[in-house]
């Protein structure tokens, strides 16, 4: 049961969780286009891969998986998911399962405008969102929107190029700034698909922000929802959270699972605003909030191994203790050449 984690980056804790779940039954492999990835320190074998946009990326991974008898590939970066999802059959032909959702699901989750439209079409709450400065001005003039307004990349992730405009002048400035920041970063890879509408404008909601792990098996069947209230954020990622029993959000997870039909974990950001759940975004992968579910008793890595072996995962793997507070620390490591 050898596992390969692509775009491993700094997700060393995930590799440790999977190592524990493997219990000696296989090796942990990590790939990253930058050789200075801290997650490499947690892997048994490491490899520097081409960048995701490189024409040889998929062939490189196929050769690596065949050479090292990789049972499953688990991507840890949004941009990786649609690229891999288009080649599921090629990997299966060599005995490797890609732990990714369909290209359709990947397209919905990575494109924040497509996410917004999907949510509205299926009756879910979503912050009011626009694609142009002109539409924002119309909403402001009609009284359907008031400042501040969030300005962010349509194909964004983390906290890259997210700004808060408090007036008309800032709205224009931040629009131009987001365009520049996107074009100068890896966000340009997906944003190039919509060059004339790569910026989103969104109402700012008040209320408690929550993170959900909505878990489906590899056949897209619902297994459970884990709810956490966010206590602190850092660089666009949950830094501290507490598990909570919130029936409204549990129900939301059930309905999202059925509407989307994703595979594996779906990381969901939600605001509870005026008694209603508003979904901010969905990520079809292990998210930065998963460690808080794991600390409270969940074990999605072990569940995934059950599914890869063709077994049913025990329900207790998706159960967590209530009111468990978790936080991320800083754990420096000495870099050693691998």
């Amino acid at each position: 049961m050898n596992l390969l984690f692509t775009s491993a980056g700094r997700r060393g804790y995930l590799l440790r969780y999977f190592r524990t779940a493997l219990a000696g039954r296989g090796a942990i492999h990590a790939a990253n286009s930058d050789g200075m990835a801290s997650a490499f320190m947690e892997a048994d074998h490491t490899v520097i891969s081409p960048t995701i946009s490189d024409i040889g990326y998929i062939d490189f991974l196929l050769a690596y998986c065949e050479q090292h008898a990789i049972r499953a590939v688990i991507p840890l970066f949004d941009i990786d998911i649609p690229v891999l999802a288009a080649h599921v059959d090629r990997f299966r032909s060599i005995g490797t399962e890609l732990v990714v959702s369909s290209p359709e699901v990947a397209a919905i989750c990575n494109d924040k405008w497509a996410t917004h439209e999907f949510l509205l079409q299926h009756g879910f709450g979503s912050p009011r969102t626009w694609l142009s400065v002109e539409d924002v001005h119309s909403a402001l003039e009609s009284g359907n929107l008031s400042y501040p307004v969030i300005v962010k990349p349509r194909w964004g992730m983390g906290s890259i190029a997210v700004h808060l405009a408090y007036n008309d002048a800032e709205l224009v400035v931040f629009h131009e700034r987001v365009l520049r920041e996107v074009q100068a970063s890896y966000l340009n890879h997906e944003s190039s698909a919509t060059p004339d509408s790569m910026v989103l404008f969104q109402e700012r909601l008040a209320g408690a922000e929550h993170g959900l792990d909505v878990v489906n098996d590899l056949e897209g069947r619902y297994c459970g929802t884990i709810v956490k209230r966010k206590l602190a954020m850092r660089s666009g990622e949950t830094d501290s959270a507490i598990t909570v029993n919130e029936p409204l959000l549990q129900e939301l997870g059930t309905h999202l699972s059925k509407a989307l039909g994703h595979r594996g974990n779906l990381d969901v950001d939600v605001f509870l605003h005026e008694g209603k759940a508003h979904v901010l975004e969905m990520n079809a992968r292990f998210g930065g909030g998963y460690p808080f579910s794991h600390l409270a008793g969940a074990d999605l890595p072990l569940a995934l191994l059950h599914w890869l072996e063709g077994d049913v995962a025990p329900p207790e793997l998706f159960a967590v203790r209530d009111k468990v507070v978790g936080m991320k620390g800083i754990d420096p490591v000495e870099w050693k050449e691998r």
Side-chain angles (χ1 to χ4, degrees):
M1 186 62 77
N2 297 329
L3 304 177
L4 171 62
F5 296 84
T6 59
S7 302
R10 297 181 297 162
R11 306 291 190 189
Y13 56 81
L14 268 178
L15 275 61
R16 290 196 296 271
Y17 296 161
F18 274 92
R19 183 187 299 283
T20 299
L22 280 170
R25 291 178 291 161
I28 298 290
H29 295 248
N32 205 74
S33 60
D34 181 353
M36 295 293 286
S38 61
F40 275 8
M41 307 304 292
E42 303 291 342
D44 299 306
H45 306 280
T46 64
V47 63
I48 299 176
S49 71
T51 61
I52 297 167
S53 59
D54 191 293
I55 193 171
Y57 180 64
I58 292 298
D59 287 338
F60 174 89
L61 291 181
L62 282 164
Y64 187 90
C65 288
E66 193 162 25
Q67 179 183 355
H68 296 278
I70 299 297
R71 179 66 186 85
V73 175
I74 303 168
L76 303 180
F77 190 39
D78 297 290
I79 296 175
D80 215 358
I81 296 170
V83 174
L84 290 174
H87 299 279
V88 168
D89 290 341
R90 293 183 67 189
F91 281 87
R92 282 182 179 162
S93 72
I94 63 168
T96 300
E97 184 70 20
L98 295 182
V99 183
V100 294
S101 291
S102 67
E104 294 76 17
V105 170
I108 290 169
C109 292
N110 280 24
D111 179 350
K112 301 299 184 280
W113 178 253
T115 299
H116 175 68
E117 291 191 310
F118 168 86
L119 292 167
L120 295 184
Q121 288 167 5
H122 289 83
F124 298 107
S126 176
R128 288 173 294 177
T129 305
W130 298 267
L131 278 176
S132 71
V133 172
E134 292 75 20
D135 288 344
V136 173
H137 282 148
S138 295
L140 288 164
E141 291 168 3
S142 66
N144 291 322
L145 177 67
S146 59
Y147 284 113
V149 174
I150 297 170
V151 188
K152 65 182 186 181
R154 172 175 176 173
W155 301 84
M157 59 197 71
S159 61
I160 296 176
V162 178
H163 302 284
L164 200 57
Y166 283 87
N167 53 52
D168 291 351
E170 290 185 353
L171 188 71
V172 173
V173 168
F174 286 140
H175 177 224
E176 294 299 322
R177 182 170 176 178
V178 171
L179 286 173
R180 290 196 304 272
E181 291 176 332
V182 165
Q183 291 164 354
S185 74
Y186 56 74
L187 298 183
N188 191 46
H189 175 68
E190 289 185 300
S191 297
S192 60
T194 56
D196 297 324
S197 58
M198 62 174 66
V199 179
L200 285 186
F201 305 88
Q202 202 164 62
E203 68 172 327
R204 185 191 190 191
L205 296 176
E209 187 174 0
H210 292 72
L212 312 182
D213 287 311
V214 180
V215 187
N216 284 1
D217 66 15
L218 295 183
E219 302 299 322
R221 294 177 295 232
Y222 179 70
C223 296
T225 298
I226 303 165
V227 182
K228 296 146 290 185
R229 187 174 75 249
K230 300 185 180 187
L231 302 177
M233 300 290 293
R234 187 186 301 271
S235 300
E237 186 171 292
T238 308
D239 202 45
S240 179
I242 180 171
T243 53
V244 294
N245 180 15
E246 179 52 72
L248 177 64
L249 297 183
Q250 292 281 350
E251 183 179 2
L252 171 66
T254 303
H255 294 319
L256 277 175
S257 162
K258 294 177 180 177
L260 192 62
H262 62 283
R263 301 172 77 233
N265 193 35
L266 181 72
D267 173 65
V268 184
D269 290 335
V270 188
F271 259 105
L272 278 181
H273 176 69
E274 297 179 350
K276 184 178 179 181
H278 297 260
V279 178
L280 299 181
E281 61 180 66
M282 305 184 295
N283 303 297
R285 56 170 170 76
F286 281 95
Y290 174 70
F292 307 113
S293 299
H294 203 87
L295 288 170
D299 198 336
L300 303 193
L302 184 54
L304 182 57
L305 297 186
H306 278 288
W307 297 328
L308 289 171
E309 292 170 337
D311 299 330
V312 175
E316 56 265 26
L317 297 182
F318 317 112
V320 298
R321 291 173 286 125
D322 194 20
K323 298 181 180 179
V324 174
V325 176
M327 59 187 66
K328 295 176 181 175
I330 299 176
D331 186 18
V333 296
E334 178 186 358
W335 178 256
K336 297 179 180 178
E337 294 292 340
R338 302 301 299 271

